[in-house]
Amino acid sequence: PQCFRKEAALHARPAFHPTVASACQEQRTGTVGFKISKIIVVGDLSVGKTCLINRQWLADALKENDPSNVILFLVGSKKDLSTPAQYSLMEKDALKVAQEMQAEYWAVSSLTGENVRDFFFRVAALTFESSVLAELERSSARKIGDTVR
């Protein structure tokens, strides 16, 4: 699926990397595993939730994982509770924070379901592509036609 906003999308290609597409067509992807880390922060507006995430969780996540292989998403939920004017202001701030974090920004609504399905498909697709590329690079010594495990 395409990104929500091109202004805050680090992965703007319209399709899988050619190496991944070829491995999929040849059914050479086998079983590829990946790890997803998450955090949920709930609180009133303007109380410092983003600062907390940036100072603690993000730094810890980057220490625990290979930073070159981390895909970050900034997801704004409860889009349905904002007026169009409020949403416009919040989106400008969210895009700025996402760019600073080098994350892809998405706005969703759990209540209406807006963008929820597309967001999860986007996470799955980008993570799958990253995992397959990493595994193909690790197994480049294998002969062509082997299944990646």
Side-chain angles (χ1 to χ4, degrees):
Q2 293 297 309
C3 56
F4 174 64
R5 291 292 302 262
K6 290 185 180 179
E7 297 85 10
L10 303 176
H11 316 280
R13 288 187 319 276
F16 282 130
H17 186 281
T19 305
V20 173
S22 174
C24 289
Q25 288 171 346
E26 297 167 12
Q27 297 182 353
R28 290 188 300 116
T29 58
T31 334
V32 176
F34 51 88
K35 180 169 80 173
I36 297 178
S37 300
K38 67 177 182 173
I39 186 167
I40 299 172
V41 178
V42 179
D44 292 330
L45 295 174
S46 303
V47 296
K49 295 182 299 295
T50 302
C51 290
L52 175 67
I53 291 170
N54 285 337
R55 281 197 314 265
Q56 293 179 349
W57 176 82
L58 184 55
D60 289 344
L62 293 174
K63 283 182 201 173
E64 296 284 329
N65 298 282
D66 175 8
S68 66
N69 200 25
V70 170
I71 303 172
L72 295 175
F73 294 90
L74 177 65
V75 181
S77 62
K78 311 236 182 263
K79 183 179 177 187
D80 53 280
L81 296 180
S82 305
T83 66
Q86 289 172 324
Y87 175 72
S88 178
L89 291 173
M90 287 187 290
E91 186 176 52
K92 285 179 188 174
D93 289 340
L95 287 168
K96 181 181 173 191
V97 170
Q99 289 168 349
E100 289 170 2
M101 293 173 58
Q102 294 185 331
E104 186 166 307
Y105 167 70
W106 281 76
V108 301
S109 169
S110 299
L111 180 67
T112 66
E114 182 180 357
N115 295 327
V116 173
R117 179 183 163 109
D118 288 341
F119 168 69
F120 281 105
F121 277 131
R122 179 87 170 153
V123 169
L126 291 176
T127 306
F128 173 78
E129 178 183 51
S130 175
S131 297
V132 170
L133 279 173
E135 185 59 34
L136 289 172
E137 287 174 11
R138 280 192 295 273
S139 64
S140 61
R142 295 179 185 163
K143 62 182 179 183
I144 295 177
D146 284 353
T147 302
V148 175
R149 299 219 185 273

